[in-house]
């Protein structure tokens, strides 16, 4: 089974949200947020869409089958282009 | 079996290592206590063996009582509507594993009884077989404890250490 990479922790930190806050918003156990962030559990489509909705971001900005590029490199590329 | 308390309605969280030790304690202490009680006669261990066996069984039941209020027992025993999708997926995997192990244990027990009866009937070998109500009682309660705790035990040996949820 392929690994689903995600940026939940980054988005959550940006919104200064605790795992419990996020868990309450999407209706799961707070521990499940920890499992998702660590990549120990791949969410269903429904949960992925709920998370994307909370962060007001497209689902592909939150989840990817390929590892996300480091934020520093992405910013450098944006500045140079 | 999940017994919630007023203080921990979702079950008390323990570190994985503690849960594993408690499950291992139940599975080791109960059968050992029963065997010690079985082999304790005035010629072998006497009253000390009897008491030690009883204490081991009591310790196993005490561990079982603590586990009954744990969050893992909640995950393994609560109705589907009370769990989220990750908990449900893990529980289903654990329940399938527990079913396989439990069926295997029962099958092995029946095979042992069949072979044991044959060996005794043909006077080839004397093996121990349950005879008295006390023997069957011990087996029944052992199987009951196993059936109630196996899914939780498999969850305890699963991957991932739950982190602080408020983090």
């Amino acid at each position: 089974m392929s690994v689903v990479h995600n940026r939940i922790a980054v988005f959550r930190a940006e919104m200064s949200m605790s795992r419990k806050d996020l868990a309450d918003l999407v209706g799961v156990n707070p521990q499940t947020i920890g499992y998702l962030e660590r990549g120990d559990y791949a969410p269903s489509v429904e949960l992925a869409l709920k998370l994307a909705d909370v962060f007001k971001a497209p689902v592909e900005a939150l989840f990817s089958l390929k590892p996300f590029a480091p934020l520093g490199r992405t910013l450098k590329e944006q500045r140079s282009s | 079996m999940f017994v919630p308390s007023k203080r921990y309605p979702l079950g008390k969280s323990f570190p994985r290592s503690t849960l594993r030790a408690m499950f291992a304690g139940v599975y080791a202490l109960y059968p050992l206590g029963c065997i010690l009680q079985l082999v304790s006669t005035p010629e072998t261990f006497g009253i000390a063996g009897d008491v030690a066996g009883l204490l081991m069984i009591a310790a196993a039941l005490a561990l079982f009582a603590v586990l009954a209020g744990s969050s893992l027992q909640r995950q393994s025993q609560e109705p589907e509507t009370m769990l989220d999708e990750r908990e449900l997926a893990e529980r289903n995997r654990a329940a399938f594993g527990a079913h396989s192990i439990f069926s295997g244990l029962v099958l092995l027990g029946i095979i042992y009884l069949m072979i044991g009866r044959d060996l005794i009937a043909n006077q080839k070998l004397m093996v121990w077989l349950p005879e008295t109500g006390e023997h069957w009682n011990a087996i029944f309660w052992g199987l009951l404890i196993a059936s109630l705790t196996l899914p939780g035990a498999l969850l305890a040996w699963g991957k991932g250490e739950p982190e602080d949820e408020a983090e």
Side-chain angles (χ1 to χ4, degrees):
Chain A
M1 206 172 182
S2 61
V3 179
V4 179
H5 302 271
N6 71 79
R7 280 173 168 156
I8 297 171
V10 177
F11 276 88
R12 189 169 62 79
E14 198 174 313
M15 292 179 79
S16 306
M17 204 182 260
S18 72
R19 282 183 178 153
K20 191 173 182 326
D21 296 337
L22 180 57
D24 289 344
L25 286 170
V26 295
V28 297
N29 187 319
Q31 286 179 353
T32 300
I33 302 298
Y35 277 78
L36 287 167
E37 288 180 354
R38 291 195 303 275
D40 285 343
Y41 174 67
S44 66
V45 175
E46 185 189 354
L47 181 55
L49 289 169
K50 278 184 183 172
L51 287 163
D53 190 47
V54 167
F55 296 127
K56 303 280 179 263
V59 76
E60 60 270 24
L62 207 54
F63 296 98
S64 170
L65 291 173
K66 292 175 192 160
F68 287 103
L71 210 57
R73 198 204 301 168
T74 313
L75 287 171
K76 207 183 276 180
E77 282 169 4
Q78 278 178 356
R79 279 193 204 117
S80 61
S81 60
Chain B
M1 190 168 79
F2 169 58
V3 185
S5 62
K6 274 187 185 165
R7 196 170 164 198
Y8 301 106
L10 293 179
K12 183 164 167 42
S13 283
F14 293 98
R16 283 284 151 112
S17 52
T18 308
L19 284 164
R20 288 171 186 171
M22 285 198 284
F23 278 114
V26 171
Y27 297 142
L29 287 170
Y30 183 82
L32 283 176
C34 289
I35 291 169
L36 201 55
Q37 284 233 308
L38 184 75
V39 298
S40 285
T41 59
E43 295 82 43
T44 57
F45 303 109
I47 192 88
D50 240 355
V51 171
L54 206 61
L55 286 175
M56 287 166 97
I57 293 169
L61 293 178
L63 286 175
F64 175 68
V66 175
L67 284 168
S70 70
S71 58
L72 270 194
Q73 274 300 101
R74 181 192 75 85
Q75 192 181 345
S76 67
Q77 304 288 331
E78 283 271 84
E80 284 189 10
T81 50
M82 306 293 283
L83 302 172
D84 71 28
E85 60 172 58
R86 192 258 318 163
E87 292 173 312
L88 199 56
E90 283 182 352
R91 194 263 285 281
N92 288 345
R93 264 200 306 278
F96 175 74
H99 172 75
S100 306
I101 292 171
F102 192 78
S103 310
L105 273 177
V106 172
L107 194 64
L108 282 175
I110 291 170
I111 292 170
Y112 174 82
L113 286 177
M114 282 167 60
I115 294 174
R117 288 237 173 270
D118 274 353
L119 289 174
I120 290 172
N122 297 328
Q123 294 183 333
K124 284 182 182 164
L125 192 69
M126 287 306 290
V127 293
W128 177 84
L129 288 176
E131 288 164 5
T132 65
E134 212 174 17
H135 295 164
W136 284 109
N137 209 19
I139 291 170
F140 168 76
W141 285 105
L143 285 175
L144 188 69
I145 289 171
S147 72
L148 290 173
T149 55
L150 265 175
L154 291 179
L155 285 172
W157 263 273
K159 67 176 179 181
E161 179 81 34
E163 288 176 18
D164 182 9
E165 54 197 44
E167 198 181 308

